[in-house]
Amino acid sequence: VSATDVRSATKEQILSLGAKPVFVESVSGIEGEGEGGYATEMSEEYQKAQADLVTRHIAKQDIVITTALIPGRTAPRLITEAQIATMKPGSVIFDLAVAQGDGTGGNVEGSVPDQVVDLHGVKIMGYSNTPAHLPADASALYARNLYNFLSAFWEKEAGRPVLDEEIGNAIRLTQSGRIVNERLAPRLAATAV
């Protein structure tokens, strides 16, 4: 797994997740961090160096996910049809920026919102509203995590989970109709005023 970004601060984040950072090193004096942690638009020299970097790496990838957005602007084109043609047939590209594209793709040339496009044997997809496609998976993940947590404390004789005081107090939000969580109670009291 590898990842790239224009913001140098993300190198540490990529490494912390166990992936390999792939960054443009040939253009010095570049810092793509804008306001609020978003990337800024990069110079023409940087964009060319980034395109060369993507070209060298994309042919080895089975799955590519693009996420580049610049607030208030059209999504930057990161992957061209020529680069897609170098990928193995059966590879998949998910363009998370397709909805902010220019009509000919978001970050990926040829991507079309809400359609799967086959280009040179590579499936390109992206949704206009990706979060709307995730609730079922997010709910299943949450339910599985909750089940695993409660199962660890389940007592057959009691017919319920039995939590010791430390864990119980740390996770309990309410008890007997009162808010008992010491982190939540002050916040709710402040919003009720």
Side-chain angles (χ1 to χ4, degrees), residues 147-163:
Y147 171 80
N148 287 335
F149 176 79
L150 293 174
S151 294
F153 299 100
W154 194 263
E155 297 230 355
K156 285 185 180 181
E157 300 81 35
R160 62 181 176 84
V162 176
L163 306 172

Side-chain angles (χ1 to χ4, degrees), residues 93 98 110-118 123-128:
I93 301 175
V98 71
S111 64
V112 178
D114 306 315
Q115 293 183 25
V116 176
V117 176
D118 189 314
K123 303 275 189 231
I124 305 168
M125 58 190 294
Y127 298 118
S128 298

Side-chain angles (χ1 to χ4, degrees), residues 95-115:
D95 186 354
L96 280 168
V98 71
Q100 281 189 246
D102 61 3
T104 63
N107 293 149
V108 182
E109 186 174 9
S111 64
V112 178
D114 306 315
Q115 293 183 25

Side-chain angles (χ1 to χ4, degrees), residues 17 65 72 95 106 153 178 180 188:
L17 295 171
I65 302 169
D95 186 354
F153 299 100
R178 293 181 306 110
V180 296
L188 287 177

Side-chain angles (χ1 to χ4, degrees), residues 22-157:
V22 179
F23 279 75
V24 170
E25 304 289 345
S26 61
V27 180
S28 61
I30 298 286
E31 179 47 62
E33 183 102 22
E35 290 183 31
Y38 286 99
T40 59
E41 190 167 11
M42 304 306 288
S43 70
E44 203 171 303
E45 177 187 13
Y46 183 92
Q47 289 176 19
K48 183 180 177 338
Q50 186 182 43
D52 292 342
L53 178 76
V54 170
T55 298
R56 289 193 313 271
H57 287 275
I58 199 165
K60 300 178 244 176
Q61 306 304 317
D62 297 317
I63 299 172
V64 174
I65 302 169
T66 63
T67 63
L69 291 172
I70 300 170
R73 305 282 308 264
T74 300
R77 180 63 41 84
L78 302 178
I79 300 175
T80 65
E81 183 176 347
Q83 292 167 324
I84 294 166
T86 68
M87 296 179 73
K88 295 176 278 197
S91 298
V92 175
I93 301 175
F94 194 94
D95 186 354
L96 280 168
V98 71
Q100 281 189 246
D102 61 3
T104 63
N107 293 149
V108 182
E109 186 174 9
S111 64
V112 178
D114 306 315
Q115 293 183 25
V116 176
V117 176
D118 189 314
L119 191 59
H120 304 290
V122 176
K123 303 275 189 231
I124 305 168
M125 58 190 294
Y127 298 118
S128 298
N129 185 4
T130 297
H133 293 268
L134 302 177
D137 294 328
S139 293
L141 178 64
Y142 177 69
R144 173 59 69 186
N145 285 342
L146 200 54
Y147 171 80
N148 287 335
F149 176 79
L150 293 174
S151 294
F153 299 100
W154 194 263
E155 297 230 355
K156 285 185 180 181
E157 300 81 35

